Each structure stands twice: as structure tokens, then as C-alpha cells.
Amino acid sequence: MDSSTADGGVTVIWNPQAGGGRSASRLGELQAAIGARAGAISWRIAPTLGAGCGADLAAAAAQSGSAIVAAAGGDGTCCEVLNGLMRASVPRPALAVLPMGTGNDFARTLGIGSLDHAAETMFAGQRKRIDAGCVNGFWFLNAAGCGFDAVVAEGVRSMPRSLPGKWAYIFAAAVALPRFSPVTTVLVTEAERIETRCMLCTVANARNYGGGMMIAPDAKVDDGELDICVLGEIGRIQFVRAFPSVFRGRHVNHPKVRMIRSATISITMNPVAPLLVDGDVIGTTPAQFSVVPKAIEVLAPQKPCATHGWRWPYNM
């Protein structure tokens, strides 16, 4: 590992706690993947030491002159790194993703598969400018949610480490559902005010969250808008029957689901509900959402991962 990024090299912000702690045992794999592709480019790994540390490290890396700042972890790590980069002056370093987390939804959006594929993308990928969502002053890449999905995310933290992302979220949802009741909600978008009772309200910048759930199948990260999924009051049995459809984006056809598009939205819930931001619970409602078009440059693969079946889905 090179000790300096002042020459415009790469800073890799590594979260050892990502993936339920599995990331800590993969440091050698991470170093090998980067070292095999870095060539003469200088790079270093900066481990996070706790919540919020990734943002501080990213801001410091930008200040020191890093050309690329990579998030080695899950979606929460990517979110922290984004928040650090958004503190930096323009032009900001490009954001790269090295998936080592539970859900890895932003990597999925970009078409990044294995750690080797991610390292190749970091040094030889194509640069794309994408939007960043903002909620209560906190930036996000994938989605922020209020209600049931936030309760489920809290439960994922206590799941067995052996469970992969998708199954961790499914198991946590099964545990949380019997104890959850719909919440009285007021939503205000650019075009309308909605009063309803709902299970959840998810505001998406990208299509996926929660380990592969396609919560907003028509969302694009470069359109300057947010896609909002509102799940109304629904019985538990009906919810269980409908839940699998979210992994293919087919939930949007359910009569209790409403999809809205807006550049801004405010959400108030009674009682107050936890706020989920890119996999981590950060605060509670009320929440004010907005989007900043083309806010950050990311590195996407020249050839997306075949096992995901993704192509870069946005018109750049």
C-alpha cells in the first residue's frame, strides 16, 4: 500500500465491520485485487473506526488530492463516503465501489459483481455523473425509507452473519411484520399533498435497496428526480403474498402501491417513524427530501457483471 495519495492516487476507505463483520477477514483479498490492477498508480487503504468515520476519511482524502475515493464495504459505507465527498469543493474525486457488504445494492446498480471486477472498474471503468438524494441534510445514493423498511433494517443488524443480503432482509421482515402497524402519513410533493395510512414510504434515487429489492423499477440516477413508493394500509397475509414481487419490481402493479415522481418531498408520520438511509437508520421523521442532479462522478464497468445481467441502464 502506498502511503500517500497527494499525487492524485486512490484512497480506499475500508469498513472492517461491513457484511456482518465478514469484511474484516477479507483484507488480504482486497489488497490482492487492488494490487493486481493498480500498476504505477499510488493507493492506500484507510480503515474506518466507527460510525461516521467513513465520511471524515473521505473528506480528508478529497482535501489531500486523491483522484479517486473508493468505498470498500456495503451500502452504508458508500453512503458515508458520499457524505464526505459532498463536503469537498468542486471538482470532487470520483467515487468507486468495492462491494464487501450485506446488500451491495449500489454496486448492483452500477453492474459491479466480484471484488476483482470492482477493482478493475476502479482503475479502468467509465466515468458517469449521477444524482445524489438528500434527506434532512444527509446524502444518499440508493434510497431512504420511513416505516416498515426502516424497522426491518434495524432487525438485519441482529441477523446471523451467515445469512446473505437478500435472506437477511426477508428473515428480518418476517420477524418485524407481526408487531408493525400502519402509520398515519402526510406527504407533500411538488404537485400534491397526500394524507394516508401506510406501511412504508420509500424515496428512491436508484432502483434497488434492501439486498436486491427493486423498490423503484423505473428510477434513474441521472434524471434529476426521486421515485417514491408508498405502500398503503395492507393486511399481513396480503403483505406476505405480495412481498416476493418487489424483487422483480412487480409490486408496482399492486392496488395498495402508489408510485410518485418528484424532485422534492416532505414526509410526516404519526407516530414518529425511524428513517432508513442507504441501509442504516439515521434519525426519524419528519423528513425533507430533495435531489441534486449530476452531483457526483462514479466509476462504472466498461462491461457490467454477467452474473447480474445488468447493463448500464441510464441515458448518459
Side-chain angles (χ1 to χ4, degrees):
M1 291 181 286
D2 192 281
S3 61
S4 172
T5 58
D7 60 352
V10 177
T11 296
V12 177
I13 297 172
W14 169 58
N15 180 4
Q17 299 305 312
R22 291 186 296 275
S23 177
S25 64
R26 300 180 66 192
L27 177 58
E29 180 186 354
L30 175 65
Q31 292 171 321
I34 297 171
R37 292 163 178 84
I41 299 173
S42 64
W43 58 280
R44 72 182 185 100
I45 293 179
T48 62
L49 303 177
C53 183
D56 294 336
L57 290 171
Q63 180 67 28
S64 72
S66 292
I68 296 170
V69 177
D75 291 307
T77 308
C78 292
C79 186
E80 283 204 3
V81 170
L82 170 68
N83 275 269
L85 293 180
M86 292 301 288
R87 297 181 199 167
S89 58
V90 177
R92 301 181 178 97
L95 170 64
V97 180
L98 299 162
M100 301 178 75
T102 301
N104 298 319
D105 285 293
F106 188 61
R108 183 178 287 106
T109 290
L110 296 181
I112 293 172
S114 67
L115 202 52
D116 283 336
H117 186 225
E120 178 183 345
T121 298
M122 183 166 66
F123 292 109
Q126 52 184 323
R127 291 174 178 253
K128 304 286 187 178
R129 294 208 70 87
I130 66 167
D131 307 338
C134 186
V135 53
N136 293 352
F138 197 85
W139 300 94
F140 64 93
L141 292 163
N142 296 320
C146 315
F148 183 69
D149 51 357
V151 173
V152 170
E154 289 180 317
V156 168
R157 294 179 178 275
S158 61
M159 292 297 101
R161 292 187 176 185
S162 58
L163 285 176
K166 175 180 177 180
W167 294 106
Y169 283 94
I170 291 174
F171 192 83
V175 171
L177 184 60
R179 302 193 297 268
F180 188 85
S181 297
V183 181
T184 300
T185 305
V186 177
L187 305 96
V188 181
T189 72
E190 293 174 303
E192 60 185 329
R193 184 179 189 273
I194 303 166
E195 296 185 30
T196 185
R197 283 178 59 79
C198 69
M199 291 284 287
L200 62 85
C201 181
T202 301
V203 180
N205 182 45
R207 292 186 295 187
N208 298 281
Y209 82 149
M213 289 187 279
M214 197 179 294
I215 191 67
D218 294 327
K220 296 182 178 180
V221 293
D222 65 343
D223 64 358
E225 293 190 294
L226 298 166
D227 285 55
I228 302 115
C229 177
V230 182
L231 174 61
E233 193 165 8
I234 186 173
R236 291 182 175 87
I237 293 176
Q238 193 178 9
F239 179 89
V240 170
R241 288 175 176 170
F243 181 69
S245 66
V246 75
F247 287 97
R248 293 186 177 272
R250 295 175 180 169
H251 63 291
V252 299
N253 298 317
H254 194 280
K256 294 292 185 179
V257 172
R258 179 173 181 179
M259 299 301 298
I260 305 164
R261 185 167 289 156
S262 180
T264 63
I265 182 172
S266 68
I267 301 175
T268 304
M269 288 184 163
N270 185 20
V272 166
L275 180 62
L276 174 68
V277 184
D278 276 352
D280 288 326
V281 176
I282 300 172
T284 63
T285 56
Q288 301 285 335
F289 295 84
S290 61
V291 63
V292 175
K294 307 297 196 302
I296 194 77
E297 188 175 59
V298 298
L299 286 158
Q302 297 288 349
K303 184 177 181 181
C305 177
T307 57
H308 281 336
W310 298 99
R311 291 179 298 179
W312 181 261
Y314 311 114
N315 298 321
M316 307 300 289

